Every structure is written in structure tokens, then in C-alpha cells.
Amino acid sequence: MSMTRSAILSRSDVPSHSGLKEAIKGLKFQLAVDESYVPMESSGYLPCTINGEDSGINIRFESAAAYLAKFPGAQAQAGERETLITLRSEGDPREDVCVLMIAAILAQNFGAIVHDPKKDVMYSAEKLISEARSQFAELD
């Protein structure tokens, strides 16, 4: 089953590849995001490496306005944040962990609020970090 996390943040806080790389190091995740990542431009499949194995996620950048209109709870927490980064897996456990790790990084280091559109639930950075580490530990 696929996993989707929606990160809502200010456009000025969308990380560069090097900023993302530094944040990954800071959280000590065993994740590498492909050099093809370009903030506000990458769309579709983004290759990643997790614990030395190939993986990846689907990523999309867009205005958050239409998304937030559907989720009043998220809209209330979004404040002035206007950019939506959608992170989606296709159900592979490694892809799920990549989604969680990137969502955690965006929340912890770049001021994102993270929302699950399927459950209409908000996630704190701490919860995402914990969930990412837990699911990473379960990978074979």
C-alpha cells in the first residue's frame, strides 16, 4: 500500500540538495537523495539510496492553497506557509522509509508541517523521526 505525506512549508525554506544532505547527516539517517533533486523543479520519481540499497519516492512541488482548502485543520496550522511538497511511495518498505525520513527532515530542519491526507492527521517532527527509525530497523 502506498504512503503519502504532505509537507507544507514556506517557499524560502524549501531546501537545496546540499541543505537536504546536511540535514540528513544531522539526523544520522542512512539516506542519500539523488543529485537530480532540484527544489521547486523535481517532479515524479526521485531516486534515493537507503542503507546502500536503491530506492526512491515520487515528489511533487506545488502551491499549497488548493490542498489546504480541503483540510481545514492543516490550514489552521499552516499559517503563512504556501508551498506543498508531496512525498509518495508505491508501497515498497524502503520507499516508505524514504518518505518518512524526508518528511521528518523537512519538519525538523525546514519548518514544515507534515500531514497525512489519507487519515487527515498531522505529524510532529519527533513522531516522524521515531516512525522512520522504527521502520528502518524493520528493513531486512
Side-chain angles (χ1 to χ4, degrees):
M1 177 177 279
S2 68
M3 172 186 288
T4 302
R5 295 293 181 271
S6 302
I8 300 113
L9 65 165
S10 297
R11 184 181 178 98
S12 61
D13 291 333
V14 173
S16 64
H17 187 271
S18 61
L20 201 54
K21 193 173 177 178
E22 283 302 308
I24 291 167
K25 272 194 230 174
L27 285 174
K28 298 182 176 143
F29 286 152
Q30 293 180 26
L31 172 70
V33 175
D34 192 79
E35 296 287 334
S36 66
Y37 167 83
V38 178
M40 304 303 297
E41 292 181 23
S42 293
S43 183
Y45 188 75
L46 176 65
C48 298
T49 304
I50 186 160
N51 199 27
E53 294 185 32
D54 290 342
S55 189
I57 61 167
N58 284 297
I59 189 168
R60 187 174 67 234
F61 295 87
E62 59 191 305
S63 168
Y67 180 87
L68 290 172
K70 296 180 205 171
F71 300 102
Q75 187 170 29
Q77 290 190 33
E80 298 297 313
R81 296 171 184 94
E82 75 281 13
T83 301
L84 173 69
I85 304 175
T86 303
L87 309 166
R88 188 172 47 84
S89 76
E90 294 301 324
D92 180 282
R94 285 179 297 282
E95 291 179 359
D96 292 347
V97 172
C98 289
V99 165
L100 292 170
M101 287 181 171
I102 293 171
I105 288 161
L106 293 171
Q108 178 77 15
N109 296 84
F110 301 100
I113 61 167
V114 178
H115 182 254
D116 177 343
K118 291 179 184 173
K119 297 179 182 175
D120 192 13
V121 173
M122 304 297 297
Y123 289 96
S124 68
E126 295 77 21
K127 174 71 175 162
L128 290 162
I129 292 166
S130 173
E131 203 172 324
R133 288 190 171 135
S134 174
Q135 288 195 27
F136 176 80
E138 293 176 14
L139 294 175
D140 45 29

